[in-house]
Amino acid sequence: MNSLSRRGFLVGLACATALAATGCGLSGGDPGAAGGPVTGEVKGSITFQTWALKPKYTDYLNGLVTRFQQAHPGTTVNWVDQPADGYLKKVTADAAAGALPDVVNMPPDLSYPLAKQKLLVDIGSAMPDAAKDYLDNAWSAYALPGQSGSYGFPWYLNTGPVFYNKALFTQAGLDAEHPPTTYAELESAALAMAQHSDRKIAMLGLTPVIADFALYGVNVMDPGGTRFTFNEDKGVRFVELYKKLYDAGALIPEALTANYTGAGTKFMNQQIAWAPGSAYDLSNFKTNAPSLYPNVGITKPITNTGHATMFVQGLSVPESSKNKPTALAFARFVTNAENQLAFAKLVNIFPSTKGTMDDPYFSKSDGTDEAKVRVAAAKQLGTAVNYTPVQWSDQMLTVLQQQLAEAMLGKKSAKQALDEVVAQCDKLLAG
């Protein structure tokens, strides 16, 4: 249901933040051995890699680098930015070659395989005092199941409301001022819209991703994170719900195509009526879909757990770095409270540092739609969960999409499809 949960969030935005560094407890001594505190003087050269931030955020990041270098005379930060296309493959290849930059922007699911191979610094061990600065749910997003530690500094967060098309709701005889708040209500509204429009307007534009199963209340993995369990009865019912909607024309046929990315465009073209998203999307609608914008309604995500989805981006330091003291100091500098707040006011993202969302920017609305979304999302993030397991990979996503398509088309039962997904994903997990 949520296009953003296909891969972290805001892929075209992978960004950074800034604050006056305090030395980060790294003065004196020599770099510690792997698995222990890292000490040493903050000096020398490092390379900092981001994900698709040029040219929009060039001034911000150049300023960030300059302030760090001024705070630490004798340091040089070389900022490189990689394009969105192929970024994840490049990071994986560089890791295998031992050629990762000193500080790398990566989401939790990319950090997991690298940390599992002991290619990333355990921040919890290297900087034992760092965890206290970050929201617990953000810090834990970079934890490695089955062992202690955390392998990334949370950089920024997002979550989102659900956007819906009031005009399409009204045309279908639905109450545009009272959108669905439960899955049962969403099902009823989706069926009514498909029937009223003679299947020309669908409510939904995507089959569910793994985070959607978790939102529905499905146990995605066993407590130890050793095997997948979303083929349980509740998971089967969830897929059967989508099958019912697909058969009625309430889920677009294109959604069955692997890695389909057109749902957002269909919402902007007013061809589907329901689009979970993020605070970033509202300004995008205003700019790129002016005819849609007056019809956009905003509501809370539907969840059976009481907790919304949280998307996380962060900064990791490879074990291969030759200058860990400076790399860790810079990563913490980028992600400290002052710099996260500054960046969040520049872009529609949210800070991962404790107390930062108490700022009036996140806690008080000026009555505009943008402010309403921002305040609601900030409040939501306090208890939000990163529902996508760090073990979840693109290969697993492809398997899920393929098997859901089989179920939607009636080639397999929901149970058969999920059993096959779980079997294949467990095999990938073991490998």
Side-chain angles (χ1 to χ4, degrees):
M1 294 164 71
N2 189 343
S3 60
L4 295 177
S5 56
R6 296 285 183 192
R7 163 61 69 179
F9 69 98
L10 303 186
V11 168
L13 181 78
C15 57
T17 26
L19 175 282
T22 60
C24 303
L26 295 173
S27 59
D30 297 317
V38 172
T39 61
E41 190 175 357
V42 179
K43 64 178 183 180
S45 176
I46 61 169
T47 299
F48 167 47
Q49 179 172 290
T50 55
W51 183 1
L53 293 184
K54 286 185 178 181
K56 192 169 185 179
Y57 305 107
T58 296
D59 290 345
Y60 172 79
L61 286 161
N62 282 337
L64 181 70
V65 168
T66 297
R67 289 192 293 277
F68 179 80
Q69 292 175 160
Q70 290 173 342
H72 297 282
T75 59
T76 300
V77 178
N78 303 300
W79 170 42
V80 296
D81 187 68
Q82 301 293 344
D85 290 344
Y87 181 80
L88 303 172
K89 289 183 179 179
K90 175 174 176 51
V91 169
T92 302
D94 287 349
L100 283 173
D102 300 275
V103 180
V104 186
N105 176 197
M106 62 177 74
D109 57 336
L110 180 55
S111 74
Y112 171 73
L114 303 186
K116 190 176 180 182
Q117 298 174 61
K118 302 188 184 304
L119 298 178
L120 299 181
V121 171
D122 173 5
I123 309 300
S125 178
M127 303 187 78
D129 68 328
K132 68 179 182 353
D133 295 337
Y134 301 88
L135 295 170
D136 292 343
N137 54 356
W139 182 262
S140 64
Y142 284 88
L144 187 64
Q147 68 183 64
S148 61
S150 187
Y151 293 84
F153 291 92
W155 191 0
Y156 57 86
L157 313 176
N158 218 327
T159 187
V162 170
F163 299 105
Y164 66 100
N165 189 311
K166 289 185 174 182
L168 295 181
F169 266 61
T170 300
Q171 291 169 18
L174 301 171
D175 186 347
E177 300 306 318
H178 296 89
T181 59
T182 68
Y183 289 98
E185 290 176 355
L186 179 62
E187 175 187 352
S188 177
L191 293 174
M193 182 169 291
Q195 181 179 20
H196 185 274
S197 67
D198 196 24
R199 302 170 66 97
K200 292 183 175 63
I201 301 295
M203 184 72 80
L204 303 178
L206 291 171
T207 54
V209 293
I210 198 67
D212 296 318
F213 280 84
L215 282 167
Y216 193 72
V218 178
N219 293 307
V220 172
M221 299 193 78
D222 71 317
T226 61
R227 63 184 181 87
F228 290 99
T229 59
F230 54 90
N231 57 337
E232 65 181 27
D233 289 345
K234 187 174 287 187
V236 172
R237 292 198 298 273
F238 190 45
V239 174
E240 289 173 344
L241 166 61
Y242 268 81
K243 166 66 171 167
K244 182 177 182 179
L245 296 179
Y246 178 79
D247 288 344
L251 170 66
I252 59 173
E254 295 93 326
L256 305 193
T257 304
N259 300 313
Y260 175 66
T261 59
T265 300
K266 282 190 174 291
F267 182 77
M268 292 174 70
N269 291 338
Q270 304 194 63
Q271 294 171 312
I272 62 173
W274 189 265
S278 78
Y280 176 81
D281 292 308
L282 198 59
S283 59
N284 183 41
F285 296 153
K286 182 180 290 187
T287 302
N288 297 315
S291 62
L292 164 70
Y293 188 75
N295 296 326
V296 173
I298 304 166
T299 187
K300 293 180 180 180
I302 296 176
T303 170
N304 284 335
T305 67
H307 303 283
T309 299
M310 177 178 70
F311 305 104
V312 189
Q313 284 285 351
L315 300 179
S316 295
V317 174
E319 281 286 0
S320 60
S321 172
K322 300 298 191 293
N323 192 351
K324 290 187 181 72
T326 301
L328 288 163
F330 182 72
R332 192 169 182 180
F333 171 81
V334 169
T335 61
N336 66 33
E338 183 178 335
N339 294 326
Q340 291 217 37
L341 177 61
F343 194 70
K345 291 183 177 181
L346 181 63
V347 190
N348 287 310
I349 53 173
F350 298 87
S352 64
T353 44
K354 288 180 179 176
T356 312
M357 280 188 282
D358 293 336
D359 187 272
Y361 182 75
F362 299 109
S363 60
K364 295 182 180 179
S365 174
D366 60 10
T368 63
D369 287 341
E370 290 84 356
K372 289 177 183 177
V373 170
R374 182 173 63 245
V375 171
K379 183 178 181 181
Q380 192 169 286
L381 276 168
T383 61
V385 176
N386 178 30
Y387 282 117
T388 301
V390 292
Q391 301 96 320
W392 191 251
S393 67
D394 278 350
Q395 286 177 288
M396 295 175 185
L397 171 60
T398 298
V399 172
L400 176 62
Q401 291 173 330
Q402 291 171 342
Q403 293 300 316
L404 287 178
E406 296 276 291
M408 297 302 105
L409 293 171
K411 296 180 180 180
K412 292 181 179 178
S413 70
K415 177 61 173 172
Q416 288 171 331
L418 288 185
D419 283 347
E420 180 64 24
V421 179
V422 166
Q424 290 193 43
C425 289
D426 279 348
K427 185 179 295 186
L428 290 167
L429 185 64

